[in-house]
């Protein structure tokens, strides 16, 4: 549904120091899926999402939406194609001088929706975002979460096939963030809208994404299904993002101390399997004493990932055997305190 | 007292009428030209989708040049041009042309800065929705800038009233002319005082109307 093919974006600068905001990035979002792009500030996330609807023209590469190469379109055709692509923003971008109702109705009028249909459409989408009773309020009278709901209703009212979200929850508190994420899940499920979102918050990815891209300095450094990324992160940046979700990291000093009497490993389990029975097997079969240092469960959109950090106490050979046993059982193992 | 009123009322009435006429007509033309100039500047400024260095620099310079000429000089400098356009260089008609030339670039600047204040994010959101540029100008930029534009035009109107007084020098009539001819040249100080009081009332009135209107349009 959305495809960026080898997209490079260079911002020329007068001082001769051109900024390469995106370097040969390829992503592909299937119809009906929710994909997320995560990265630190300045990584190129906004540039990437703005390339999707050509608010930013790529220096190189192609942009496909629903089989149409946008980079080849005339200005007029591009304008029409953009109507199929909804977009929401960190700062909502509503008209201050218009009511909630008008904020949705004005674009519809400008896009040529017949007058008789406008009222019906506005109410329909205000119902979806649960804001009908606020239709005569002005944006200044709404909370951040409510403003974002209006922005979502505005985007949906044009009945797009694709929704782009540029940090839509970054200005909101955790509770409100959750309610907006639920809403995105709902419109994805009920209206079948394909969503590409960018964020710097791992919990956004965790809650609603099927697939994740990690971007750093304009480069796509890692990608995979959300489950893959949570169970087998490769890049240190990805691991750092995962650390923001759960208390995954132990201090180096503590790890060093524990290593004197055994090995410290992180075990990542997938699915309902909490790991408990496996650990008791380890004790019974290999006489290794597993001491649980931390444990948590992360609920992803498509599954559950369990995380255990354990201190394995026993002789080297036995510990080694127990680790290969765990690996055979499909547990991801990462040894801590080895560099 | 009664005789003062009887003697001066028709003259004041005439002067107020002339002032209002000059301000209203020249304001209408200046606003029209000012809005067009402001939109050209906004659309062609560097970094905008329609950026055009040549057009932008041309109008930018034109506005600066006219704005740096004092009105009193403009008034005399423009006499032949005025005569060419409206057929006369005196009276209300004669004053309109220099007043417009004086006020339009000023209003253009005021409106330009009001438009620059409009949240770029909203404009971008509308571009992302596939809405045409001219529709964005009307329905987003001018709409969102309305409160600021009303305040700007209030300021412009008041300075136009000041300029009409000077236009009295080319025989334009109006309150300023009245105060100058009778009050200054013929030592009718009462006329001068009444004129000043009238001007104060008019200016105050316009400012409060402008403030109230802008406050009503502003929704935050
Ligand atoms: N219009 C522009 N002109 C020049 N450089 C730009 C422009 N827009 C972005 N950049 C540069 O491109 C890089 C990526 O910017 P981008 O806005 O995509 O980052 P981001 O990941 O969205 O960051 P944030 O999380 O802070 O929003 C930055 O180095 C930025 O300075
Ligand atoms: Mg950004």
């Amino acid at each position: 549904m959305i495809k960026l093919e080898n997209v490079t974006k260079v911002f020329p600068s007068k001082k001769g120091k051109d900024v390469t905001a995106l370097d040969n990035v390829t992503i592909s979002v299937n119809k009906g899926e929710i994909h997320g792009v995560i990265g630190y500030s300045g990584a190129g996330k906004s540039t990437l999402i703005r390339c999707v609807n050509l608010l930013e023209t790529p220096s190189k590469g192609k942009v496909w939406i629903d089989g149409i190469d946008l980079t080849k379109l005339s200005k007029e055709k591009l304008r029409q194609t953009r109507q199929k692509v909804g977009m929401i923003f960190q700062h909502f971008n509503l008209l201050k001088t218009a009511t909630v109702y008008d904020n949705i109705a004005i674009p519809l009028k400008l896009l040529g929706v017949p007058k008789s249909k406008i009222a019906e459409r506005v109410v329909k989408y205000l119902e979806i975002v649960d804001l009908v009773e606020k239709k005569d309020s002005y944006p200044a009278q709404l909370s951040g979460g409510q403003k974002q709901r209006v922005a979502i209703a505005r985007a949906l009212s044009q009945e797009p096939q694709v929704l782009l979200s540029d940090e839509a929850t970054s200005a909101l508190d955790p509770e409100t963030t959750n309610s907006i994420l639920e809403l995105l899940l709902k419109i994805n499920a009920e209206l079948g809208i394909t969503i590409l979102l960018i964020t710097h918050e791992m919990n956004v990815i965790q809650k609603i994404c099927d697939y994740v891209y990690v971007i750093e300095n304009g480069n796509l450094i890692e990608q995979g299904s959300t489950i893959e990324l949570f169970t087998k992160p490769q890049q240190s940046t990805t691991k750092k993002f995962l650390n923001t979700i759960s208390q995954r990291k132990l201090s180096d000093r503590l790890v060093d101390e524990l290593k004197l009497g055994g090995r410290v490993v992180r075990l990542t389990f997938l699915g309902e399997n909490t790991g408990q029975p496996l650990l008791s097997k380890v004790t019974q079969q290999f006489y290794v004493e597993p001491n649980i240092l931390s444990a948590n469960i992360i609920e992803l959109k498509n599954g559950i990932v369990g995380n255990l950090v354990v201190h394995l106490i026993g002789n080297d050979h036995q510990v080694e055997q127990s680790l290969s046993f765990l690996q055979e059982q499909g547990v991801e193992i990462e040894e801590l305190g080895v560099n | 007292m009664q005789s003062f009123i009887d003697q001066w009322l028709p003259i004041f009435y005439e002067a107020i009428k002339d002032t209002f006429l000059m301000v209203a007509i020249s304001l209408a033309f200046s606003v029209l030209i000012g809005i067009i100039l402001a939109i050209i500047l906004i659309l062609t400024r560097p970094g905008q989708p329609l950026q055009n260095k040549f057009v932008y620099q041309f109008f930018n310079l034109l506005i600066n040049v006219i704005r740096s000429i004092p009105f009193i000089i403009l008034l005399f400098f423009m006499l032949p041009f005025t005569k060419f356009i409206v057929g006369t260089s005196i009276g209300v008609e004669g004053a309109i042309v220099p007043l417009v030339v004086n006020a339009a670039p000023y209003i253009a600047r005021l409106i330009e800065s009001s438009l620059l204040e409009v949240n770029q994010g909203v404009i971008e959101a509308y571009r992302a929705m596939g809405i045409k540029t001219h529709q964005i100008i009307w329905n987003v930029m001018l709409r969102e800038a309305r409160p600021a534009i009303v305040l700007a035009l209030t300021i412009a109107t008041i300075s136009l009233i000041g300029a009409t007084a000077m236009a009295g020098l080319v025989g334009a009539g109006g309150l300023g002319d009245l105060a100058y001819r009778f009050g200054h040249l013929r030592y009718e100080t009462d006329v001068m005082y009444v004129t000043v009081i009238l001007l104060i009332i008019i200016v105050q009135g316009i400012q409060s109307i402008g403030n109230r209107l802008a406050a009503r349009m502003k929704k935050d």
Side-chain angles (χ1 to χ4, degrees):
Chain A
M1 194 74 195
I2 308 173
K3 213 160 120 195
L4 296 188
E5 210 177 302
N6 306 106
V7 167
T8 296
K9 176 71 190 183
V10 180
F11 290 108
S13 120
K14 285 197 188 108
K15 288 172 205 143
K17 278 196 287 178
D18 294 356
V19 181
T20 306
L22 286 180
D23 194 359
N24 205 21
V25 169
T26 297
I27 72 170
S28 171
V29 188
N30 296 328
K31 198 169 165 57
E33 291 186 352
I34 304 183
H35 287 207
V37 179
I38 190 163
Y40 289 116
S41 186
K45 305 183 297 290
S46 296
T47 309
L48 185 150
I49 205 153
R50 292 161 53 84
C51 277
V52 176
N53 55 6
L54 254 63
L55 282 178
E56 214 74 82
T57 318
S59 315
K60 263 193 239 138
K62 291 193 169 114
V63 178
W64 303 84
I65 285 189
D66 200 16
I68 303 170
D69 181 358
L70 300 197
T71 57
K72 292 236 167 66
L73 296 181
S74 67
K75 256 191 171 166
E76 180 56 23
K77 273 266 171 349
L78 171 64
R79 199 181 60 70
Q80 288 166 8
T81 310
R82 276 181 178 158
Q83 296 170 13
K84 291 199 275 185
V85 183
M87 190 166 188
I88 53 176
F89 306 84
Q90 179 172 4
H91 298 297
F92 325 121
N93 297 346
L94 301 172
L95 292 174
K96 279 194 296 192
T97 57
T99 60
V100 166
Y101 182 94
D102 283 338
N103 260 292
I104 302 169
I106 289 172
L108 291 178
K109 193 186 85 195
L110 298 179
L111 291 171
V113 174
K115 243 192 183 142
S116 54
K117 297 239 172 80
I118 289 181
E120 183 191 328
R121 265 232 221 154
V122 175
V123 172
K124 175 177 170 193
Y125 288 98
L126 277 178
E127 267 166 8
I128 289 180
V129 302
D130 202 13
L131 266 187
V132 184
E133 75 280 11
K134 292 278 184 197
K135 72 181 185 356
D136 296 320
S137 305
Y138 287 90
Q141 301 163 322
L142 302 178
S143 71
Q146 288 170 331
K147 282 185 226 176
Q148 195 60 282
R149 282 169 189 275
V150 177
I152 291 173
R154 177 177 70 181
L156 294 181
S157 69
Q158 285 146 46
E159 315 202 316
Q161 297 166 310
V162 167
L163 183 67
L164 306 176
S165 159
D166 187 349
E167 307 253 12
T169 57
S170 297
L172 306 174
D173 62 56
E175 192 119 343
T176 316
T177 293
N178 279 340
S179 75
I180 294 291
L181 294 178
E182 302 261 310
L183 178 60
L184 291 179
L185 270 181
K186 177 174 126 182
I187 62 180
N188 169 253
E190 289 176 13
L191 307 174
I193 293 178
T194 308
I195 300 180
L196 176 64
L197 60 86
I198 65 169
T199 182
H200 61 261
E201 297 167 315
M202 203 60 189
N203 70 316
V204 172
I205 303 278
Q206 175 202 342
K207 297 223 171 77
I208 70 171
C209 288
D210 300 300
Y211 199 89
V212 195
Y213 308 87
V214 184
I215 183 172
E216 189 169 55
N217 297 324
N219 291 292
L220 215 57
I221 56 166
E222 189 165 0
Q223 59 176 298
S225 72
T226 311
I227 292 180
E228 271 167 3
L229 223 81
F230 271 80
T231 49
K232 303 176 224 179
Q234 305 294 320
Q235 302 292 329
S236 64
T237 304
T238 315
K239 290 177 188 169
K240 270 190 223 154
F241 275 119
L242 289 177
N243 285 340
T244 61
I245 288 272
S246 55
Q247 242 301 319
R248 283 168 42 108
K249 197 165 160 54
L250 302 179
S251 76
D252 291 344
R253 221 192 58 209
L254 178 60
V255 173
D256 283 345
E257 222 166 81
L258 292 169
K259 260 179 18 187
L260 297 175
R263 287 160 77 173
V264 184
V265 293
R266 178 194 325 281
L267 309 175
T268 306
F269 305 87
L270 182 58
E272 310 292 327
N273 190 351
T274 57
Q276 222 32 277
L278 283 177
L279 283 187
S280 50
K281 272 216 182 104
V282 164
T283 316
Q284 287 159 17
Q285 288 185 11
F286 308 102
Y287 310 105
V288 169
E289 203 54 52
N291 186 14
I292 297 178
L293 302 172
S294 86
N296 63 56
I297 283 191
I298 301 168
E299 284 184 75
L300 302 178
K301 183 187 173 198
N302 305 320
I304 295 174
V305 171
N307 243 302
L308 282 180
V309 178
V310 289
H311 184 204
L312 296 174
I313 309 162
N315 78 40
D316 283 356
H317 179 65
Q318 287 165 333
V319 170
E320 199 61 56
Q321 273 190 323
S322 62
L323 284 178
S324 31
F325 164 75
L326 287 169
Q327 206 149 23
E328 275 164 31
Q329 303 296 316
V331 178
E332 284 299 320
I333 297 169
E334 182 193 352
E335 183 139 15
L336 301 184
V338 285
N339 297 310
Chain B
M1 183 68 192
Q2 189 57 45
S3 69
F4 180 86
I5 292 176
D6 286 345
Q7 185 193 348
W8 290 101
L9 194 62
I11 297 175
F12 270 107
Y13 174 75
E14 202 57 34
I16 291 175
K17 202 188 80 187
D18 282 353
T19 295
F20 266 94
L21 257 176
M22 280 190 286
V23 170
I25 298 174
S26 51
L27 187 68
F29 280 110
S30 314
V31 168
L32 196 69
I33 298 170
I35 286 185
I36 293 170
L37 283 175
I39 289 173
I40 293 175
L41 285 175
I42 290 283
L43 289 181
T44 59
R45 78 175 11 244
Q48 289 303 306
L50 291 177
Q51 62 174 312
N52 185 324
K53 234 192 195 142
F54 179 77
V55 175
Y56 178 76
Q57 288 302 348
F58 173 78
F59 283 105
N60 204 21
L61 194 70
L62 182 73
I63 289 172
N64 286 346
V65 167
I66 298 176
R67 287 205 56 209
S68 48
I69 304 172
F71 182 57
I72 196 90
I73 295 174
L74 195 71
L75 207 54
F76 289 106
F77 180 71
M78 289 205 45
L79 283 176
F81 179 67
T82 308
K83 188 149 192 179
F84 174 72
I85 291 199
V86 290
T88 173
S89 59
I90 55 163
V92 170
E93 289 114 306
I96 301 278
V97 177
L99 282 174
V100 169
V101 172
N102 174 57
Y106 179 48
I107 290 179
R109 276 286 181 248
L110 290 172
I111 294 181
E112 181 195 19
S113 68
S114 308
L115 292 177
L116 281 176
E117 300 265 296
V118 174
N119 183 353
Q120 284 296 312
V122 187
I123 296 170
E124 191 160 282
Y126 274 68
R127 275 214 295 140
M129 288 186 245
I131 288 168
K132 295 184 180 130
T133 305
H134 73 265
Q135 293 178 320
I136 294 179
I137 293 171
W138 278 112
N139 295 281
V140 179
M141 296 171 69
L142 287 173
R143 182 200 173 96
E144 288 284 279
R146 259 182 342 201
I149 290 177
V150 166
L151 283 180
L153 293 186
T154 308
I155 295 171
T157 309
I158 289 170
S159 67
L160 254 179
I161 293 174
T164 56
M166 270 189 255
L169 289 174
V170 295
L175 282 169
D177 177 49
L178 188 70
Y180 176 70
R181 273 193 296 137
F182 293 91
H184 181 67
L185 298 180
R186 292 203 218 154
Y187 304 109
E188 300 261 11
T189 43
D190 291 351
V191 176
M192 178 101 92
Y193 292 141
V194 173
T195 313
V196 168
I197 289 167
L198 276 175
L199 281 172
I200 290 173
I201 293 171
I202 292 172
V203 167
Q204 283 290 345
I206 289 174
Q207 187 66 56
S208 357
I209 291 173
N211 286 349
R212 216 161 291 169
L213 215 60
R216 257 215 354 232
M217 289 176 166
K218 213 168 163 171
K219 302 294 182 185
D220 55 318

